[in-house]
């Protein structure tokens, strides 16, 4: 067993045996003091002269932007799909849930999409939340998570009393045309103003089906969760501690990436709670985390991670760009 997996396994042991918290604390310290070559792969970091590139959301646009997008939520992104969802955006700004995780107490009360009907025409549809909920998010994520040819929209939805939940919305074709419906959701974070931030979608356990990754409560003790898509639920099957993919009050939500290396399961590269170091975590058989390596410390706080082939480009608070790669 690679030594670097011990912190996460110990965290599970501490949950089962509260009296061993002190012992587990020292195991955490000793495990992270071991050399990085204790694991078969690691992270390499090098300065990069060019600024990190963010892929434009219009790269795969199927249709022109509808005029309704002009009324979208301020500072939110418009997402482009590849199949039956051309565009998705957030609307109906409201102050009814005054949490400032994303820098503003204004959130969206509705989500809108330009979708293809069964007749082949394109139609704008929308879904509005009840008064006790908002979309505490700034970017719809469009993905065909069940690989049935029809795309889903992933969003963070927040409840006044229960906190945030990750919700999957699908397109259902009715006699009156296409409509947005809820396909699945995660458990709520637990209380008012408890938030979560998605990481992405991939087949993390190599069972042939796509899973979801998110960080629960990234500001107060972040927990990376991998979730199976099992409608009507998103069911967590793996957890890892000491991670964060968001800085409180920041509009930027992309602080973690999923890296594919041929012959390996997907690796999640995500900052630790200080946002000044990186974890590289892979869920391996028969069901354990492999820590591929920590880079500690980085020159400054991570502001954004942009995906690259084999790794990521890290934008730091001091304006520096770093090339972060998985290496054997």
């Amino acid at each position: 067993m690679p030594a670097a997996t011990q912190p996460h396994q110990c965290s599970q042991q501490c949950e089962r045996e509260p009296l061993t918290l002190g012992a587990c604390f020292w195991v955490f310290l000793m495990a992270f003091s071991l050399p990085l070559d204790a694991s078969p792969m690691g992270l390499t970091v090098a300065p990069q002269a060019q600024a990190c590139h963010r892929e434009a959301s219009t790269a795969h646009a199927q249709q022109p932007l509808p005029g309704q997008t002009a009324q979208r939520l301020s500072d939110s992104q418009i997402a482009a799909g590849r199949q039956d969802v051309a565009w998705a955006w957030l609307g109906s700004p409201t102050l009814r849930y005054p949490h400032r995780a994303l820098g503003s107490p204004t959130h969206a009360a509705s989500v809108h999409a330009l979708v293809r009907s069964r007749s082949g025409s394109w139609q704008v549809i929308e879904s509005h939340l009840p008064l006790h909920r908002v979309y505490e998010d700034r970017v719809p994520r469009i993905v065909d998570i069940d690989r049935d040819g029809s795309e889903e929209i992933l969003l963070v939805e927040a409840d006044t009393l229960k906190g945030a939940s990750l919700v999957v919305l699908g397109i259902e074709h009715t006699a009156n045309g296409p409509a947005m419906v809820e396909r699945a959701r995660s458990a709520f974070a637990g209380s008012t103003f408890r938030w979560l931030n998605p990481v992405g979608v991939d087949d993390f356990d190599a069972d042939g089906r796509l899973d979801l990754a998110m960080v629960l409560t990234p500001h107060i003790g972040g927990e990376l969760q991998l979730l199976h898509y099992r409608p009507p639920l998103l069911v967590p099957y793996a957890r890892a501690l000491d991670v964060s993919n968001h800085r409180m009050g920041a509009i930027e939500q992309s602080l973690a990436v999923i890296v594919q290396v041929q012959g390996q399961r997907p690796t999640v590269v995500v900052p630790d709670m200080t946002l000044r170091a990186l974890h590289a975590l892979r869920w391996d058989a028969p069901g354990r985390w492999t820590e591929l390596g920590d880079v500690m410390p980085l020159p400054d706080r991570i502001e954004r991670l942009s995906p690259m082939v084999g790794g990521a480009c890290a934008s730091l608070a001091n304006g520096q760009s770093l090339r972060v790669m998985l290496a054997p």
Side-chain angles (χ1 to χ4, degrees):
M1 176 184 68
T5 66
Q6 294 179 7
H8 304 287
Q9 293 179 349
C10 182
S11 66
Q12 298 169 358
Q13 180 181 351
C14 290
E15 292 176 359
R16 296 193 300 268
E17 301 175 25
L19 294 179
T20 65
L21 282 172
C24 280
F25 174 76
W26 289 109
V27 173
F28 267 87
L29 292 182
M30 289 187 293
F32 282 115
S33 67
L34 292 174
L36 294 180
D37 60 6
S39 61
M41 295 184 69
L43 287 173
T44 64
V45 175
Q48 178 168 294
Q50 301 85 8
C52 297
H53 171 71
R54 184 198 292 269
E55 181 181 358
S57 62
T58 58
H60 305 285
Q62 304 178 75
Q63 293 289 309
L65 274 175
Q68 296 96 315
T69 58
Q71 283 76 51
R72 71 183 184 277
L73 179 70
S74 178
D75 295 325
S76 67
Q77 298 179 35
I78 306 171
R82 297 174 181 239
Q83 295 169 194
D84 60 336
V85 179
W87 299 101
W89 64 96
L90 295 164
S92 307
T94 177
L95 290 167
R96 66 194 187 206
Y97 189 74
H99 192 207
R100 294 178 178 267
L102 292 165
S104 170
T106 303
H107 301 297
S110 63
V111 58
H112 308 251
L114 178 64
V115 304
R116 184 166 46 212
S117 68
R118 281 185 171 162
S119 68
S121 63
W122 293 89
Q123 180 178 337
V124 174
I125 61 173
E126 58 192 47
S127 178
H128 291 259
L129 289 173
L131 291 178
H132 62 287
R133 292 191 178 173
V134 298
Y135 291 115
E136 195 174 7
D137 211 337
R138 292 296 183 271
V139 51
R141 300 152 195 87
I142 302 175
V143 61
D144 183 4
I145 192 169
D146 52 8
R147 294 169 168 164
D148 66 349
S150 180
E151 290 167 307
E152 285 76 39
I153 301 171
L154 279 57
L155 283 166
V156 180
E157 183 182 306
D159 181 274
T160 304
L161 299 179
K162 301 175 184 177
S165 172
L166 183 59
V167 64
V168 180
L169 303 174
I171 309 303
E172 186 170 287
H173 296 274
T174 70
N176 296 321
M180 247 184 284
V181 296
E182 181 178 316
R183 298 293 191 204
R185 74 164 59 239
S186 71
F188 287 93
S191 62
T192 305
F193 297 165
R194 291 290 182 261
W195 190 62
L196 62 87
N197 193 27
V199 173
V201 174
D202 214 316
D203 182 7
F204 298 104
D205 59 353
D207 68 350
R209 293 186 284 185
L210 293 177
D211 311 311
L212 298 92
M214 70 181 192
V215 176
L216 182 66
T217 59
H219 312 130
I220 59 171
E223 179 182 275
L224 174 64
Q225 291 190 2
L226 305 180
L227 305 104
H228 283 140
Y229 178 67
R230 301 289 186 266
L233 301 175
L234 299 178
V235 182
Y237 66 89
R239 295 177 170 90
L241 304 180
D242 184 42
V243 301
S244 177
N245 63 341
H246 187 259
R247 177 171 60 85
M248 181 65 185
I251 194 70
E252 180 60 61
Q253 293 181 250
S254 299
L255 267 71
V257 298
I258 300 167
V259 181
Q260 293 277 3
V261 175
Q262 188 172 6
Q264 302 283 349
R265 292 186 182 185
T267 297
V268 179
V269 177
V270 59
D272 72 349
M273 283 300 299
T274 71
L275 300 180
R276 293 173 180 266
L278 288 172
H279 290 292
L281 296 166
R282 189 177 66 213
W283 185 251
D284 283 326
R288 60 178 176 83
W289 288 108
T290 298
E291 176 89 61
L292 303 185
D294 268 13
V295 178
M296 184 86 71
L298 294 179
D300 208 335
R301 186 183 67 238
I302 300 170
E303 294 281 290
R304 187 176 74 246
L305 279 179
S306 304
M308 298 174 61
V309 176
C313 184
S315 302
L316 304 186
N318 63 6
Q320 187 177 4
S321 297
L322 300 177
R323 184 180 179 89
V324 179
M325 304 297 290
L326 285 182

